[in-house]
């Protein structure tokens, strides 16, 4: 049995292909203006990586904010349920998940089966999202992939009082003008992000093990700050960006079996 | 911890005055009495009642029950080190950051056990819905009774009559919760004290109107809202008298509050409750003085000591914190003229629907009399997002604008 | 000169509609709908509830029928400010602010009864009609009948035996708030005659909150897999209640008591039982066997914001899952919550 999970987020799209319980392949592509096209692109790439064709897939589930626009999906399920499912597959002991996506940020609690028991979502404010990091990287003229590393060079945090993207941006600009090193500004930005997501986590209650997923999980500066606040070492998978798509694929397997 | 804070404050002020009697000032006197009140609140020795700001405190003082209102205690707690922590507590417990900081502070500290348990809580729908809700929440947390005083919006005889009756019921309820009785003679005495304080206050405000004004931007901050806690007491008279004497002596010595006063300002709503440099900056850079705070005003007649309830009811109903914006605006315009102000600053305290909600309406009325208004966006209680730099820039621009235009008077 | 309109505007579910009816007027609720441009924030302040801001926007844009007057209730700070702003932007309208106590203790009931008597005088001036006690009693009778019928319909919706129940019920509520009572009765009677039709599936959910008049919102809840088995909203079931008809006591007292004692919204407080609202939510959720509770409130609404922590606690203690949504009365803002609602239902399945 071969199934696929497709996660269409605001910044990127991912597809995971499973053969029974094994990950056959995955892909990550940047989201274009057309979600349906993104889904197709991601899935084509995953198919190519697995060296199989579209007809080989028995069942597909879409997730992510573009989930309803994936034309070839059999069903769709929210990214909340999918992240819990995916994280549970990768780390069966997980009970708390922090997903920091491109446009929103979620704290999810789940049981030993990977079923959601509580969640909180922040989609009103950009803090804790990929978009926020992009804006900051842009202001400081540092490549997005490098901001985590750069921030670790800081000797102290610059004071970024606001986690609101608009204000934080102008604060960063004025700090930069007054000669504060970029590393310290970034470290301050990461601190602001960490306090925001920590508050979100507290809303659902934190219990170990603790997993961080989503694109920002690749930013070691943020991870370090979050870990300090939470007091637990977060588990991060090799490819934290595909957890949602993986969960969707796992659901696809279950649903296909059920008929 | 909070008790300690008040004790330190009291002894600190007393020592300073002992060492240097010259340094005694009315502001210190007020701080000292405030610290003493705080000590009483936190030492559990007294019968304590939490009440909304429009509840007649003098009546409670006459019963020897210690009254306190939310805004007051919140403004004190915010200046302690734990201030920011209390806000975080409140938000964690689900009290939205969209609500008024006074109430968030109150709930956050109450949940941490930092608010003394009262015998009874008294609330009213004025000034604000959020305040009533905060009292209800406190009553739930403390498992204490709640008395709701319905203050009518309109200044009508029938409203006054009903409120007068209701205040009577309130006194009974306080009695049954504290075991303290309302003695007729003490009530009469308290009302006489209130009237004396009122007279002195109105004289103070007359002095403050002089050009240049003997007050600087700090002398009378929070005055009109805090002093009522001492209404009905000798201490209230003493505090008021010390301010009056000070202003009188400044006038005699030909000393204005802000040296070389050039710009006269009105501050709308309450002040910013945590430490900041805005007022000093106004004085230093622009010789500007906040000569009048919106709430430093007497809107009521002396109270008849023989039959105080009608007078007390009228006082509550006539407060600028109650009723329509039309009434509030009329009052503000009257103050603007009496104090000959060049401009007004509205902090637009975040989360205050009743006060900040009237921003646009106040603006347009002030425009009609040619007084410019600067609208800020500040949370006057929660310092966590305070962006002083940005505010200073905006205030500077406002001052430059005022300097470049002829005075409206 | 044009004939005076027969409509009286109102904006709050605590308005005594029977008195407006008795004056020979039809009450017209200015619902926060339509797409007038946002201007209210400028007249007042942005951080006020979008319910009031949209109502004011409609007034400013003249997106309302001609009214003979508007009755505002002093239900909260923001409503009070709406009354103030209205006079500024529409100085020629007749308006009246009716004071509304926050509790139903005897003192408050008598005060409110006096306010209602004043309202009656004002309405009689606006209409030129003499509002006799019989007229009031007749109107109370009519509104009691409406309440009864709506309540029956609601029961069928709650039981899931009316086709497209919650969508159609909301449509009727909106009509009841804006159209003459006899037209509404006609419609209801037709619906009552329909045969039962069991609606399919959906997870039973109890919905409470303040302003959610758009029937489309209920379609959305259903498309996410929820079935609303009971609702408590100020644009829904809280608009109707019945008034005592025993003529031996004063009619205004009965009206006052009926309004202050009906299912409470967050702005009304029971001083004997602080925090009662949270217990009410739990009780109602249990009564309708809901698997979960959804709260929907408009932003910046102090009465609800202040009570949410206690509601959350109380539901948690009972082990009932709770989803809180904040909106601004537009379908767009509710649509943004689709993922949350779906995830909530997935979690409960
Ligand atoms: S600032 Fe406004 S909302 Fe806050 S306590 Fe005062 S009146 Fe109430
Ligand atoms: S929604 Fe809330 S704030 Fe707005 S008018 Fe209603 S009770 Fe008042």
């Amino acid at each position: 049995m071969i199934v696929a999970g497709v996660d269409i987020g605001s910044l990127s799209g991912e597809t995971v292909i499973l053969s029974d319980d094994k990950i056959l392949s995955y892909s990550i592509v940047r989201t274009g203006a057309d979600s349906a096209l993104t889904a197709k692109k991601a899935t084509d790439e995953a198919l190519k990586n697995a060296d199989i064709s579209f007809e080989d897939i028995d069942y597909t589930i879409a997730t992510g904010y573009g989930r309803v626009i994936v034309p070839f999906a059999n069903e769709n399920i929210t990214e909340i349920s999918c992240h819990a499912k995916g994280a549970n597959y990768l780390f069966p002991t997980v009970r708390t998940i922090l997903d920091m996506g491109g446009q929103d940020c979620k704290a999810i609690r789940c049981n030993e089966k990977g079923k959601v028991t509580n969640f909180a979502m922040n989609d009103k404010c950009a803090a804790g999202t990929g978009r926020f990091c992009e804006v900051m990287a842009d202001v400081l003229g540092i490549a997005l992939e490098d901001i985590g590393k750069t921030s670790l060079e800081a000797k102290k945090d610059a004071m970024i009082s606001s986690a609101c993207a608009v204000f934080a941006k102008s604060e960063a600009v004025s700090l930069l003008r007054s000669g504060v090193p970029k590393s310290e500004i970034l470290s301050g930005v990461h601190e602001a992000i960490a306090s925001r997501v920590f508050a979100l986590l507290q809303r659902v209650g934190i219990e170990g093990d603790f997993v961080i997923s989503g694109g920002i999980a690749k930013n070691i500066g943020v991870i370090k700050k979050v870990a300090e606040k939470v007091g637990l070492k977060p588990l991060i998978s090799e490819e934290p960006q595909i957890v949602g798509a993986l969960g969707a694929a796992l659901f696809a397997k279950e649903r296909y079996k059920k008929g | 911890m909070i008790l300690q804070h008040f004790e330190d404050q009291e002894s600190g002020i007393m020592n300073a005055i002992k060492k240097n009697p010259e340094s005694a000032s009315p502001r210190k006197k007020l701080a000292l009495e405030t610290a003493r009140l705080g000590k009483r609140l936190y030492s559990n020795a007294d019968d304590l009642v939490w009440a909304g700001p429009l509840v007649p405190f003098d009546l409670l003082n006459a019963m020897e029950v210690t009254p306190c209102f939310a805004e007051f205690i919140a403004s004190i707690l915010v200046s302690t080190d734990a201030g920011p922590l209390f806000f975080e507590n409140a938000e964690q417990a689900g009290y939205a950051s969209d609500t008024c900081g006074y109430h968030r502070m109150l709930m956050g500290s109450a949940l941490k056990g930092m608010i003394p348990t009262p015998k009874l809580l008294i609330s009213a729908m004025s000034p604000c819905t959020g305040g009533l809700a905060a009292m209800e929440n406190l009553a739930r947390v403390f498992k204490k009774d709640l008395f709701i005083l319905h203050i009518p919006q309109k200044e009508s005889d029938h409203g006054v009559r009903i409120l007068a009756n209701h205040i009577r019921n309130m006194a009974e309820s306080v009695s049954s919760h504290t075991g303290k009785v309302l003695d007729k003679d003490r009530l009469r005495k308290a009302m006489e004290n209130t009237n004396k304080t009122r007279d002195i206050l109105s004289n103070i405000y007359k002095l403050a109107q002089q050009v240049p004004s003997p007050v600087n931007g700090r002398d009378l901050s929070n005055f009109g809202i805090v002093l009522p806690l001492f209404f009905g007491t000798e201490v209230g008279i003493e505090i008021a008298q010390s301010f009056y004497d000070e202003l009188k002596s400044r006038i005699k010595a030909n000393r204005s509050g802000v040296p070389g006063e050039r710009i006269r300002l009105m501050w709308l709503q309450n002040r910013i409750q945590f430490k900041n440099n805005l007022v000093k900056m106004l004085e230093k850079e622009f010789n500007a003085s906040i000569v009048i705070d919106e709430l430093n005003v007497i809107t009521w007649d002396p109270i008849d000591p023989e039959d105080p309830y009608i007078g007390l009811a009228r006082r509550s109903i006539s407060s600028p914190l109650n009723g329509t914006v039309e009434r509030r605006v009329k009052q503000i315009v009257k103050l603007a003229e009496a104090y000959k102000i060049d401009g007004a600053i509205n902090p637009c305290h975040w989360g205050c629907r009743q006060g900040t909600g009237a921003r646009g309406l106040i603006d347009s009325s002030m425009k009609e009399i040619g007084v410019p208004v600067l609208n800020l966006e500040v949370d006057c209680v929660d310092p966590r997002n305070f962006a002083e730099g940005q505010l200073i820039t905006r205030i500077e621009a406002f001052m430059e604008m005022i300097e470049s235009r002829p005075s409206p008077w | 000169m044009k004939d005076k309109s027969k409509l009286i505007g109102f904006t709050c579910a605590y308005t005594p509609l029977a008195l407006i009816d008795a004056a020979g007027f039809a009450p017209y609720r200015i619902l926060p709908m339509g797409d007038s441009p946002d201007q209210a924030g400028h007249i007042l302040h942005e951080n006020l509830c979008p319910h009031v801001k949209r109502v004011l926007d409609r007034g400013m844009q003249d997106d309302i029928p001609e009214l003979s007057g508007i009755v505002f209730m002093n239900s909260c700070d923001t409503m009070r400010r709406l009354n103030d702003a209205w006079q500024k932007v529409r100085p020629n309208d007749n308006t009246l602010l009716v004071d509304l106590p926050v509790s139903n203790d005897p003192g408050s009931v008598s005060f409110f009864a006096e306010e209602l008597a004043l309202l009656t005088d004002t309405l009689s001036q606006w209409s030129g009609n003499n509002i006799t006690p019989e007229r009031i009693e007749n109107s109370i009778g009519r509104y009691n009948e409406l309440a009864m019928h709506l309540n029956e319909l609601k029961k069928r919706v709650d039981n899931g035996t009316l086709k497209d129940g919650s969508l159609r019920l909301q449509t009727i509520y909106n009509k009841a708030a804006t159209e003459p009572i006899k037209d509404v009765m006609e419609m209801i009677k037709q619906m009552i005659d329909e045969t039962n039709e069991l609606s399919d599936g959906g997870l039973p959910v109890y919905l409470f909150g303040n302003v959610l008049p758009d029937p489309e919102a209920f379609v959305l809840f259903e498309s996410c897999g929820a079935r609303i088995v009971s609702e408590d909203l100020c644009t829904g079931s809280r608009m109707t209640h019945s008034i005592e008809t025993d003529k031996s006591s004063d009619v205004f007292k009965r009206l006052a008591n009926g309004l202050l004692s009906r299912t409470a919204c967050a702005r009304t407080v029971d001083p004997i039982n602080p925090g009662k609202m949270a217990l009410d939510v739990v009780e109602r959720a249990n009564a309708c066997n809901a698997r979960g509770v959804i709260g929907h409130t408009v932003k910046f609404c102090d009465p609800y914001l202040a009570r949410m922590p206690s509601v959350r606690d109380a539901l948690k203690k009972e082990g009932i899952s709770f989803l809180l949504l904040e909106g601004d009365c537009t379908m767009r803002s509710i649509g943004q919550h689709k993922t949350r609602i779906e995830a909530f239902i997935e979690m409960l399945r």
Side-chain angles (χ1 to χ4, degrees), chain B residues 136-153:
Chain B
E136 191 200 2
N137 278 326
L138 281 181
R140 180 175 55 86
V141 170
F142 289 132
K143 301 201 169 50
K144 291 288 172 191
D145 288 345
L146 178 67
F147 184 94
I148 296 176
L149 191 63
H150 184 76
I151 301 177
Q153 290 292 300

Side-chain angles (χ1 to χ4, degrees), chain C residues 172 175 182-192:
Chain C
I172 294 269
K175 278 205 190 308
K182 65 174 197 311
D183 302 356
V184 182
M185 288 290 231
E186 284 297 309
M187 275 188 71
I188 295 180
K189 287 204 175 113
Q190 276 173 21
M191 273 168 82
I192 287 176

Side-chain angles (χ1 to χ4, degrees), chain A residues 64-65 67-68 76-82 106 115-119 121-124 203, chain C residues 299 312 316 321-324 326 336-349:
Chain A
Y65 104 107
R67 64 188 176 282
V68 284
N76 70 70
I77 293 180
T78 65
E79 53 272 36
I80 316 256
S81 302
C82 288
K106 323 169 188 71
K115 191 170 158 33
V116 178
T117 56
N118 197 359
F119 68 92
M121 229 176 132
N122 186 356
D123 53 13
K124 278 183 227 150
R203 270 169 53 190
Chain C
K299 268 176 89 68
R312 199 182 284 280
K316 200 167 170 189
S321 294
F322 176 46
L323 177 70
L324 177 62
E326 257 193 358
Q336 276 171 1
H337 292 310
K338 197 167 189 311
T339 299
R340 271 193 184 79
I341 306 168
E342 283 183 3
F344 183 66
I345 302 297
E346 285 169 4
M347 177 179 100
L348 295 176
R349 277 202 193 280

Side-chain angles (χ1 to χ4, degrees), chain B residues 181-198:
Chain B
V181 285
L182 183 54
D183 175 273
K184 257 206 134 135
D185 293 329
R186 271 218 304 269
L187 179 60
R188 186 185 310 113
K189 181 79 197 130
M191 292 307 130
E192 285 164 8
N193 287 344
T194 294
N195 289 340
K196 270 188 209 145
T197 312
R198 179 193 175 280

